[in-house]
């Protein structure tokens, strides 16, 4: 039996995510067995650590890791039962495939017995590069850091990109906008936000970002409808492949009527979550339609024929 200790599992989660991979670790925490088969610790003297019925050993772990790019999938550790290992590794793979999955307790049923496992997930570390250190970059940096992004702020003005103005940033870089990413690694986990002080700077950085291979996960550019339209026209005039235009999120953010820098940061953060997790961007009220789906009969009860009672508004609990 291959044993994966707690410290090894923690290091595996962190190192895999730092390297750009994904990892999931399942820990057996309890359950009940049918008595079929014997795991480690079965028989006399198995102690309190063994799950009832000698079905599995509490505290055992199994991990599935996936490296960046074409790196192979690797399975480490064991619960001591082949059938439980198969069930748990299948669960871990499904969770790694689901962008909305997170740390959670699960129950597996194997050979008539139930086993509870706690799963920890780590996704690749996501990078956010904020190009421009003006007033709107500050709430964008705070919001990005709070969402778990590793934030880099770059500007050609060293007195703007300072630690005092951007305490949440991982890196502050003095950059030349003609070659803005020279000292900033950009890869498929990088999210780029262009919020410089002028259209010409945004454009120079945008062209560089569009020509990167592999392309970044996200390219967002702030600007009015007129400014964005002018950017698209200029890109086509300069011979940029029209297919690449689909990579640009501009104007940046979701439509929530944002006006202030803080509100714009919320709109941009919402779009970053949408890109990462998926979703419709619609209000959850409209997606779930709870009042319509579950309380329509109650609202219509005792209403005159052909009419429905008006919807009433109640204060949330």
């Amino acid at each position: 039996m291959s044993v994966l200790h707690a410290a090894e599992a923690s290091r595996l989660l962190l190192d895999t995510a730092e390297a750009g991979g994904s990892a999931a670790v399942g820990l057996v925490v309890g359950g009940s067995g049918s008595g079929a088969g014997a795991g480690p610790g079965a028989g006399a003297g198995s102690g309190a650590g063994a799950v009832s019925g000698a079905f599995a050993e509490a505290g055992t772990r199994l991990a599935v890791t996936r490296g960046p790019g074409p790196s192979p999938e690797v399975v480490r550790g064991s619960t001591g039962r082949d059938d439980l290992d198969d069930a748990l590794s299948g669960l871990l793979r499904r969770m790694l495939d689901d962008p909305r999955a997170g740390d959670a307790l699960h129950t597996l049923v194997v050979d008539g017995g139930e086993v509870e496992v706690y799963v920890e997930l780590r996704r690749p570390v996501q990078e956010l590069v904020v190009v421009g250190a003006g007033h709107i970059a500050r709430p964008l940096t705070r919001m990005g850091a709070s969402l778990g992004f590793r934030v880099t702020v770059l500007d050609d003005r060293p007195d703007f990109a300072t630690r005092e103005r951007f305490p949440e940033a991982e890196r502050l870089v003095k950059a030349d906008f003609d070659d803005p990413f020279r000292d900033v690694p950009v890869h498929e986990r990088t999210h780029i936000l262009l919020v410089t002080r002028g259209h010409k700077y945004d454009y120079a950085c945008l062209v560089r970002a569009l020509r990167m291979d592999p392309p970044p996960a996200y390219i967002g550019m702030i600007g009015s409808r007129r400014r964005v339209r002018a950017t698209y026209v200029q890109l086509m005039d300069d011979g940029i492949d029209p297919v690449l235009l689909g990579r640009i999120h501009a104007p940046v953010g979701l439509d929530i009527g944002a006006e202030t820098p803080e509100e714009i940061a919320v709109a941009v953060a919402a779009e970053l979550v949408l890109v990462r997790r998926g979703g419709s961007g619609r209000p959850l009220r409209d997606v779930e339609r709870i009042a319509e789906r579950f309380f329509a009969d109650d609202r219509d009860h005792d209403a005159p024929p052909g009419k429905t009672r008006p919807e009433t508004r109640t204060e949330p609990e």
Side-chain angles (χ1 to χ4, degrees):
M1 171 181 167
S2 175
V3 178
L4 182 63
H5 296 290
E8 295 172 317
S10 296
R11 178 53 57 188
L12 183 66
L13 289 168
L14 292 173
D15 289 349
T16 303
E18 286 285 343
S22 300
V25 174
L27 168 68
V28 176
V29 296
S32 61
S34 64
S46 60
V51 174
S52 174
F55 189 70
E57 183 82 8
T60 55
R61 296 173 180 80
L62 186 141
V64 174
T65 60
R66 294 173 180 171
S71 298
E73 178 180 278
V74 178
V75 178
R76 296 176 174 85
S78 175
T79 64
R81 288 283 306 267
D82 290 342
D83 49 1
L84 182 55
D85 282 356
D86 290 342
L88 181 51
S89 61
L91 170 65
L92 299 182
R93 291 187 178 100
R94 291 192 297 275
M95 294 182 70
L96 287 173
D97 290 337
D98 182 357
R100 300 190 182 188
D103 298 357
L105 188 67
H106 295 264
T107 300
L108 294 174
V109 179
V110 181
D111 195 21
E114 292 187 350
V115 175
E116 286 190 331
V117 294
Y118 184 75
V119 177
E120 288 186 83
L121 285 176
R122 293 296 180 272
R123 309 287 186 183
V125 174
Q126 302 293 306
E127 308 275 354
L128 178 63
V129 178
V130 181
V131 184
H135 64 287
I136 198 170
R138 299 178 70 181
L140 285 173
T141 299
R142 289 195 298 269
M143 193 69 68
S146 69
L147 291 175
F149 287 94
R150 181 175 293 162
V151 184
T152 296
V153 178
L154 58 88
D155 202 293
D156 60 348
R157 302 164 295 177
D159 53 332
F160 275 71
T162 64
R163 184 57 59 192
E164 291 73 22
R165 300 185 72 237
F166 296 97
E168 301 88 358
E170 182 83 10
R171 292 185 64 201
L172 300 169
V173 178
K174 182 182 182 301
D176 181 348
F177 287 146
D178 288 332
D179 189 10
F181 308 110
R182 181 182 58 197
D183 299 320
V184 179
V186 175
H187 42 70
E188 62 272 16
R189 294 175 285 112
T190 303
H191 301 68
I192 297 174
L193 286 173
L194 304 177
V195 290
T196 72
R197 64 185 182 276
H199 169 72
K200 67 176 183 178
Y201 302 118
D202 281 345
Y203 186 81
C205 298
L206 177 60
V207 170
R208 290 275 184 174
L210 287 174
R211 288 175 171 166
M212 289 180 171
D213 186 23
Y218 175 95
I219 303 172
M221 186 182 74
I222 199 169
S224 65
R225 179 187 302 174
R226 178 181 176 185
R227 179 173 171 181
V228 171
R229 181 179 180 277
T231 297
Y232 282 124
V233 170
Q234 187 176 355
L235 287 170
M236 290 186 288
D237 288 345
D238 288 345
I240 297 296
D241 187 342
V243 175
L244 299 181
L245 302 185
R247 297 180 182 175
I248 307 170
H249 294 258
V252 70
L254 298 186
D255 180 11
I256 60 172
E259 294 288 345
T260 68
E262 289 74 18
E263 291 172 347
I264 293 171
V266 170
V268 174
E271 187 171 58
L272 290 173
V273 174
L274 182 67
V275 169
R276 182 196 292 188
R277 301 290 190 186
S280 66
R282 298 166 54 202
L284 286 173
R285 181 196 64 182
D286 297 342
V287 173
E288 298 296 338
R289 300 184 296 112
I290 292 175
E292 176 183 343
R293 292 166 58 195
F294 298 104
F295 300 105
D297 291 342
D298 293 340
R299 297 208 313 268
D300 294 344
H301 185 66
D302 292 335
K307 296 184 178 180
T308 59
R309 294 171 57 187
E311 183 176 350
T312 57
R313 180 178 179 181
T314 58
E315 294 297 323
E317 295 182 356

